[in-house]
Amino acid sequence: MEDLISNNLPGTRDILPEEIDRWQLVEERARRIFDQYGFTEIRTSIIEPTELFARGIGSDTDIVGKEMYTFIDQSKRSVTLRPEATASVVRAYLQNAMNRGGGITKLYYIGPMFRHEKKQKGRWRQFYQIGAEALGSNHPAVDAEMIEMALGLLHSLGVKAKLLINSVGCGQCRPRYIEMLRAELKVHLADLCEDCRRRAETNSLRVFDCKVESCQPFIEKLPVITENLCTECAEHFSKVQAYLNEAGIVYDVVPRLVRGLDYYIRTAFEIVSGELGAQNALAGGGRYDGLSEVLGGPPVQALGFALGLDRLVMLLPEEQSAKGRRKPELFLAHMGEPAFKKALEIARDLRRQGHSCYLDFAAGTLKSQMRLANKLGAENVLIIGDNELARGIYSIKRLKDSCQWEIGLAEISEYLKSRK
Ligand code: HAM
């Protein structure tokens, strides 16, 4: 029989209770900051028709060519677990006519993505992204604001990271540039690695992603897109930089920065961290003014980014994890069946009033229940035995200083409130 309990599928894992505080901290912080910038949450489906990603991301990309979780469902339809969410957000935006009133629509999402990539530190096959998309504007200040928001989130968590930006041109200037690139690559074809030889034909820009040592001298001499932009793209890029400068944002222009998805136009950026090792990209994004049309919609100018939640959590200090954990305000220790029933009733009543209560179901001794209360970090213990039941007066013990006194039912909530 297959062992079902020792391992998850490779590249997938469980996020356990001891780690969850850090995840929730990041998610809550992101929600607050995105809200400040006027973004609202969207939850799109995790499974989509394969064609949405094949067309949206580009059939020559590694994601579509090698990494998608694609299968034929019971209706004989080819479906895919989303490898990213931008194509889905654009689909939902068009499908729900969010472009109707004109103006800018700001959306964000938090959730799992799936890519069958080679396993490596910082890389999972089910990973989580926090992403934001602004649809309906090509104003360069929107690009700068999006970057400012992403960096603001990282800074608020005490994470140091570096911003790399580039412009990858548009439908006017990029084809001309790619021709030039291809011609140059043809001259050196014999000296390049197998992947580069293939990319030279299919997706020349991706040559800049090659890590093979012997290819580097040739790649370094290739013409760069930033020197071959059309006037409009060059102007847009210089305005984005001016807005970033005004916001006091430090960045490096990296003319060889290309992204692994085909939909980018003009602004492309990455936020990297030196503490992550080989998989150093914390976030990536850019403008994708042509994506809507590729999917069959009207022209929509848009940009966005996604941040790798798994990688960000890796960078947060351990102590962040204990910060948010809620300790029970009251542990109810009970002796005997009638006391247990009373404890259930008191806990129910106090929880309705907003208090956090914990009681043990194992019917252990008072000593073992006190031990558990200490382990959980409970603030107070209410002791319920036959005596207390008969009198309707209980003992309460504050664990911090072991101070113990008697309390009536009606006063417990007041006391707990006074401790908040
Ligand atoms: P991406 O660069 O493919 O862009 O992914 C964004 C981020 O997701 C990466 O920088 C990385 O932190 C994280 N990530 C990607 N793959 C993995 C993995 N296998 N394991 C762990 N983390 C990973 C996009 O997905 C675009 N949709 C971003 C975007 C939004 N562009 C415009 N709008």
Side-chain angles (χ1 to χ4, degrees):
M1 194 172 82
E2 191 184 350
D3 177 2
L4 297 175
I5 54 170
S6 304
N7 287 303
N8 295 48
L9 280 175
T12 72
R13 69 203 159 126
D14 308 306
I15 317 284
L16 298 176
E18 54 261 36
E19 310 164 72
I20 207 70
D21 289 337
R22 279 186 284 172
W23 288 71
Q24 289 178 350
L25 174 78
V26 177
E27 289 165 9
E28 277 157 27
R29 192 65 57 83
R31 287 181 197 284
R32 202 172 72 217
I33 292 177
F34 291 178
D35 178 62
Q36 288 169 344
Y37 281 81
F39 285 73
T40 47
E41 187 177 1
I42 183 166
R43 299 186 189 184
T44 60
S45 35
I46 283 171
I47 188 163
E48 298 268 13
T50 303
E51 192 60 14
L52 178 75
F53 302 116
R55 268 207 266 159
I57 299 169
S59 47
D60 288 335
T61 59
D62 282 353
I63 297 179
V64 174
K66 302 186 200 163
E67 297 166 1
M68 293 209 301
Y69 281 88
T70 296
F71 58 95
I72 305 293
D73 74 3
Q74 310 289 344
S75 322
K76 311 249 179 310
R77 193 182 286 124
S78 177
V79 295
T80 294
L81 295 181
R82 65 178 184 195
E84 62 111 47
T86 308
S88 301
V89 170
V90 173
R91 188 224 2 97
Y93 169 84
L94 296 170
Q95 188 178 324
N96 295 287
M98 290 189 220
N99 51 346
R100 204 168 22 211
I104 188 164
T105 304
K106 293 172 158 186
L107 303 167
Y108 78 85
Y109 49 86
I110 300 178
M113 311 290 155
F114 303 85
R115 296 184 194 173
H116 197 283
E117 291 191 82
K118 276 207 195 94
K119 267 177 61 194
Q120 203 176 347
K121 182 168 173 262
R123 206 194 244 166
W124 286 270
R125 291 181 179 164
Q126 175 177 338
F127 61 98
Y128 294 79
Q129 283 187 346
I130 296 184
E133 316 288 348
L135 304 110
S137 171
N138 73 347
H139 201 297
V142 178
D143 303 41
E145 191 190 72
M146 185 70 81
I147 291 172
E148 177 189 294
M149 183 170 81
L151 289 173
L153 171 59
L154 296 176
H155 290 164
S156 83
L157 293 163
V159 170
K160 290 199 186 71
K162 196 166 169 180
L163 170 64
L164 314 176
I165 60 167
N166 192 18
S167 173
V168 293
C170 67
Q172 295 294 317
C173 51
R174 192 161 47 194
R176 270 203 314 264
Y177 166 72
I178 286 181
E179 273 317 305
M180 193 194 288
L181 196 61
R182 206 170 272 164
E184 194 64 31
L185 285 168
K186 250 190 193 140
V187 180
H188 303 290
L189 221 48
D191 305 305
L192 296 172
C193 73
E194 200 186 318
D195 271 348
C196 280
R197 282 205 294 273
R198 185 175 42 80
R199 286 172 182 152
E201 271 312 309
T202 57
N203 200 346
S204 325
L205 272 181
R206 305 288 303 159
V207 165
F208 290 115
D209 264 355
C210 177
K211 303 273 181 301
V212 175
E213 199 68 39
S214 58
C215 291
Q216 300 313 310
F218 303 103
I219 292 171
E220 272 161 31
K221 290 199 197 86
L222 291 171
V224 291
I225 180 93
T226 24
E227 282 162 22
N228 293 282
L229 295 173
C230 60
T231 320
E232 288 81 9
C233 284
E235 205 172 294
H236 192 271
F237 192 36
S238 95
K239 283 188 182 156
V240 171
Q241 292 178 64
Y243 282 114
L244 289 175
N245 294 339
E246 262 169 50
I249 291 172
V250 180
Y251 55 89
D252 283 351
V253 174
V254 180
R256 290 183 174 80
L257 174 77
V258 288
R259 308 256 310 118
L261 306 100
D262 278 355
Y263 49 59
Y264 292 110
I265 270 178
R266 296 190 169 165
T267 312
F269 64 92
E270 273 184 7
I271 301 174
V272 297
S273 160
E275 290 167 46
L276 280 172
Q279 294 304 312
N280 68 349
L282 254 184
R287 188 162 271 291
Y288 50 88
D289 295 349
L291 179 56
S292 167
E293 285 159 278
V294 168
L295 300 179
V300 176
Q301 292 154 329
L303 100 152
F305 77 93
L307 188 150
L309 191 43
D310 310 70
R311 293 183 189 172
L312 176 53
V313 167
M314 276 166 69
L315 294 180
L316 296 184
E318 280 288 330
E319 66 267 22
Q320 299 254 30
S321 64
K323 241 185 207 168
R325 185 159 303 150
R326 190 144 186 218
K327 312 254 195 256
E329 291 171 75
L330 189 69
F331 184 100
L332 297 103
H334 49 88
M335 266 74 61
E337 188 60 21
F340 176 57
K341 283 202 175 124
K342 190 70 185 171
L344 286 170
E345 184 192 315
I346 299 173
R348 188 181 313 120
D349 194 45
L350 288 172
R351 284 171 181 147
R352 276 196 196 124
Q353 296 180 64
H355 300 293
S356 59
C357 302
Y358 195 102
L359 57 99
D360 187 21
F361 294 93
T365 59
L366 179 60
K367 204 169 161 197
S368 73
Q369 292 187 61
M370 290 306 270
R371 215 180 298 129
L372 179 60
N374 273 307
K375 192 173 151 207
L376 291 168
E379 285 170 28
N380 306 282
V381 178
L382 189 74
I383 299 162
I384 313 172
D386 291 340
N387 248 340
E388 285 80 2
L389 275 183
R391 291 173 60 215
I393 299 283
Y394 302 86
S395 293
I396 190 163
K397 183 171 184 178
R398 191 164 60 210
L399 291 186
K400 190 175 67 179
D401 53 9
S402 295
C403 180
Q404 188 166 332
W405 68 99
E406 293 194 323
I407 194 164
L409 267 191
E411 291 131 41
I412 300 176
S413 177
E414 269 320 299
Y415 162 69
L416 294 178
K417 267 189 210 137
S418 73
R419 308 279 309 155
K420 276 193 180 168

